[in-house]
Amino acid sequence: MIRTDVVIIGGGATGCGIARDLALRGIAHYLVEKDDFAAGATGACHGLLHSGGRYVVTDPVAAKECIEENMILRSIGKKCVEVTGGLFVRLPGDSKRFRDRFLRSCEEVGIPTEVLSPTRALDLVPALNPVLEEAIKVPDCSIDPFRLCMLNAITSRQKGGGILTHHKVIEIVKERGRCVGIKAQDQFTRQVKEIRARVIINATGAWGAKVAALSGSDVPMTLSKGSLVITNHRLTNMVINRLRPPSDGDIIVPNEAVCLAGTTSIAVDDPDAVEVLSREVDIVVSEAERMIPNFRTTRMIRAYTGVRPLLKADGGDSRAISRGFKIIDHDNGMYSILGGKLTTYRLMAEKMVDAIMRDFGLDTPCQTAEKPLDGQDELSGYPLSKRLKDISGIICECELVSRDEVERVVNRIGTKYIGDIQHRTRLGMGPCQGGFCTYRALGIMHDMGRVTSEESMRVLREFLQRRFKGIRPALWGDQLREEQLVESIYLGILSMGNDL
Ligand SMILES: Cc1cc2nc3c(=O)[nH]c(=O)nc-3n(C[C@H](O)[C@H](O)[C@H](O)COP(=O)(O)OP(=O)(O)OC[C@H]3O[C@@H](n4cnc5c(N)ncnc54)[C@H](O)[C@@H]3O)c2cc1C
């Protein structure tokens, strides 16, 4: 049995942010995640570091939190934030009255704006629809949620925090009505570990109600599914938003070599039973096309969906629910932290750890707003020039990932999962979506003695099934042709037909 002060359940941005904050305040902790980091809404989001503009008219409190956190994150997380700037574009038919309210609200909340003529907007983003009537520039940025989680986790590890990924919390241990620990099951070996702690934090986002129920507690949540599509190249270097009340398909975010467009908003009951519907892909592509006309003819490489953990509202449109967050003290040794945004994860973590410090009778102040994220220097340790030099060892041609890089990750984290390599190197994230590099990465793990032949098949099967879930809704044109080739490799050459 392991003993610590705080157990955090959930390795999304909120959980990882809490681990970093606890580490910097010297509190012993363990973080337990059922999958890899950013496996929930964090890794399935738009990757927009909001300026607050999206919410400024409907939810000024959340908008103010966003602009303040935007400024903090761009200073502490330079290697995971790209300072792109953003445009809110007004197309023919979009309300002028909303535009006036938008500008007034931005001024009240403190979001800097600049009104641009169509010519000036087209200079900045030539792919924009030339019929636009104007654009308003705001300080939106693009953020890499995987890197963000991993960088937060580095501080936790450096300060002695424990991290268990691929361990699902299956029980909350109670004694005399109080939560005193958790039991977590290794998702590969099925072994169960017990961790005892003074406080348990439920930071499981959309799974919050399920995990709270393990301790007999209730959390009031509304779940809202949002789906997005990924293009195979960058159509804009700035974030593009539609200047209208929040609605379907009104944001396009550049991220590394691609663009992410979305989203939809559909109420769901179970975060484990969601998939992208083809009509959602149609909606997103049609709306994105209104802002960037060549969006429709651009190759899509996949679609994905995530579930927003929103605070409960009675009926109505989930877009109208506040993007603010809430900390619930269950008065039994467990807290739940709900709602919020990726953009406000640091603030959420600060408020959560402040509450724990009060419980522990300590007053060490929060340092996360000033201290740059640890580990950022290592992110630039494999620059493009070195990748090109290692070209003979490249195993993922789309993202230029070499054998050395894969071996380094496998040695460092000792994983059996292809997804873990993907999140840390971008292996398989390009146009072929891992069609060619997946079996090569698996071969490397096998050569290194990480997986047996039998385990290889299980790992490959699970990975391919997940991969296909994302590819299926975006299969047409060039992507369909490529997928037929990939299918013949796996079904024909590798004889996986009976396993899938
Ligand atoms: C489609 C979509 C787009 C979005 N776009 C943006 C955006 O552009 N910008 C922005 O700021 N915000 C955005 N958001 C909101 C943002 O993604 C979330 O508010 C934020 O990521 C929530 O983080 P979290 O850590 O609280 O939850 P999650 O990221 O969902 O993390 C919860 C974690 O708990 C784990 N877990 C669940 N059950 C267990 C268990 N029993 N044991 C162990 N672990 C468990 C899950 O695997 C998961 O990793 C978007 C959300 C969605 C759905």
Side-chain angles (χ1 to χ4, degrees):
M1 188 198 300
I2 301 165
R3 285 187 188 279
T4 188
D5 285 329
V6 180
V7 165
I8 308 149
I9 313 173
T14 309
C16 292
I18 293 169
R20 175 170 198 255
D21 197 323
L22 285 168
L24 288 173
R25 298 201 223 190
I27 306 290
H29 59 279
Y30 251 84
L31 182 147
V32 186
E33 163 56 50
K34 70 180 168 61
D35 204 305
D36 192 10
F37 296 117
T42 300
C45 85
H46 235 134
L48 168 56
L49 182 62
H50 284 277
S51 59
R54 184 72 282 163
Y55 305 111
V56 76
V57 172
T58 50
D59 193 349
V61 174
K64 192 161 178 19
E65 287 172 358
C66 283
I67 185 64
E68 288 171 0
E69 289 302 305
N70 174 307
M71 294 300 154
I72 291 173
L73 284 176
R74 49 169 86 196
S75 103
I76 64 162
K78 290 191 167 65
K79 289 281 167 54
C80 52
V81 174
E82 185 186 346
V83 182
T84 56
L87 296 180
F88 275 76
V89 297
R90 190 164 66 80
L91 297 176
D94 290 344
S95 156
K96 235 183 148 216
R97 195 179 298 165
F98 182 80
R99 171 253 194 220
D100 294 343
R101 282 179 68 196
F102 178 88
L103 283 172
R104 236 185 359 259
S105 308
C106 282
E107 199 180 336
E108 279 162 20
V109 163
I111 302 170
T113 56
E114 186 186 343
V115 179
L116 306 179
S117 67
T119 318
R120 178 86 181 94
L122 284 160
D123 277 349
L124 290 175
V125 182
L128 277 180
N129 191 339
V131 303
L132 86 161
E133 296 190 336
E134 67 180 340
I136 297 171
K137 193 166 168 222
V138 293
D140 281 339
C141 298
S142 169
I143 182 163
D144 184 325
F146 296 102
R147 282 186 172 181
L148 182 70
C149 286
M150 282 165 207
L151 292 175
N152 275 275
I154 284 175
T155 310
S156 160
R157 280 215 181 89
Q158 282 176 350
K159 305 271 181 193
I163 294 189
L164 289 177
T165 52
H166 300 288
H167 281 70
K168 180 175 180 174
V169 171
I170 50 168
E171 188 182 324
I172 296 199
V173 183
K174 285 178 97 175
E175 278 175 5
R176 282 178 241 104
R178 280 195 73 74
C179 303
V180 294
I182 55 111
K183 287 189 181 168
Q185 185 178 48
D186 184 321
Q187 296 300 283
F188 207 88
T189 62
R190 301 284 156 201
Q191 278 174 344
V192 174
K193 297 187 177 78
E194 184 170 339
I195 309 177
R196 292 285 178 124
R198 295 160 72 189
V199 172
I200 317 283
I201 301 175
N202 170 17
T204 54
W207 291 266
K210 283 191 176 190
V211 170
L214 295 176
S215 76
S217 306
D218 251 355
V219 295
M221 293 183 73
T222 292
L223 303 183
S224 160
K225 175 183 81 151
S227 298
L228 300 102
V229 298
I230 310 182
T231 59
N232 86 327
H233 63 270
R234 244 168 115 116
L235 297 162
T236 166
N237 287 325
M238 294 181 83
V239 174
I240 306 297
N241 305 261
R242 183 88 175 265
L243 185 53
R244 65 178 181 186
S247 39
D248 284 345
D250 53 5
I251 305 176
I252 304 174
V253 182
N255 178 296
E256 300 270 340
V258 303
C259 275
L260 315 175
T263 80
T264 51
S265 178
I266 299 174
V268 292
D269 295 326
D270 183 357
D272 290 311
V274 289
E275 58 176 345
V276 184
L277 306 174
S278 20
R279 78 181 150 83
E280 290 182 280
V281 173
D282 288 344
I283 291 171
V284 170
V285 172
S286 305
E287 292 299 331
E289 185 187 21
R290 295 225 44 216
M291 296 187 284
I292 294 189
N294 60 358
F295 199 91
R296 183 170 292 278
T297 49
T298 301
R299 178 168 165 179
M300 301 296 142
I301 53 178
R302 70 185 290 115
Y304 61 98
T305 196
V307 182
R308 299 178 185 90
L310 303 177
L311 304 170
K312 183 118 189 150
D314 292 330
D317 177 6
S318 54
R319 286 195 197 278
I321 300 174
S322 166
R323 268 31 179 185
F325 64 91
K326 190 169 180 180
I327 293 170
I328 300 174
D329 182 351
H330 296 289
D331 268 334
N332 61 1
M334 183 165 101
Y335 286 94
S336 290
I337 178 160
L338 302 172
K341 304 286 300 165
L342 176 71
T343 304
T344 55
Y345 88 95
R346 190 213 61 82
L347 176 68
M348 294 166 70
E350 176 179 340
K351 299 294 176 204
M352 184 67 257
V353 178
D354 283 350
I356 293 170
M357 298 304 278
R358 279 194 296 276
D359 288 353
F360 289 179
L362 299 169
D363 57 8
T364 319
C366 175
Q367 302 172 46
T368 57
E370 296 86 34
K371 256 185 164 335
L373 295 174
D374 293 306
Q376 294 189 77
D377 292 343
E378 289 156 39
L379 288 179
S380 50
Y382 202 66
L384 186 63
S385 53
K386 179 148 172 40
R387 284 167 196 247
L388 292 171
K389 223 167 117 207
D390 289 349
I391 203 89
S392 59
I394 294 288
I395 62 154
C396 168
E397 287 86 357
C398 303
E399 296 285 343
L400 294 182
V401 181
S402 72
R403 184 182 178 102
D404 278 1
E405 209 179 347
V406 171
E407 285 178 352
R408 237 194 346 258
V409 168
V410 174
N411 274 329
R412 202 178 68 232
I413 61 170
T415 186
K416 290 179 186 291
Y417 295 92
I418 295 165
D420 288 5
I421 300 173
Q422 191 175 41
H423 297 152
R424 286 157 184 79
T425 63
R426 292 191 63 80
L427 174 121
M429 291 202 175
C432 84
Q433 288 288 291
F436 296 93
C437 54
T438 299
Y439 56 81
R440 293 175 186 158
L442 196 58
I444 293 172
M445 282 201 283
H446 186 266
D447 287 353
M448 292 172 77
R450 288 299 313 169
V451 282
T452 62
S453 302
E454 208 173 80
E455 287 171 343
S456 299
M457 288 313 276
R458 175 180 153 195
V459 169
L460 187 56
R461 196 181 314 120
E462 284 172 7
F463 181 82
L464 290 177
Q465 274 164 349
R466 269 193 198 202
R467 170 188 179 275
F468 193 63
K469 238 177 116 181
I471 289 175
R472 187 172 45 194
L475 269 187
W476 64 84
D478 288 339
Q479 198 62 22
L480 178 58
R481 279 187 276 278
E482 172 120 32
E483 194 54 19
Q484 281 178 322
L485 172 64
V486 171
E487 186 181 313
S488 62
I489 294 174
Y490 286 95
L491 300 189
I493 302 173
L494 299 178
S495 302
M496 293 207 65
N498 299 333
D499 292 299
L500 292 174

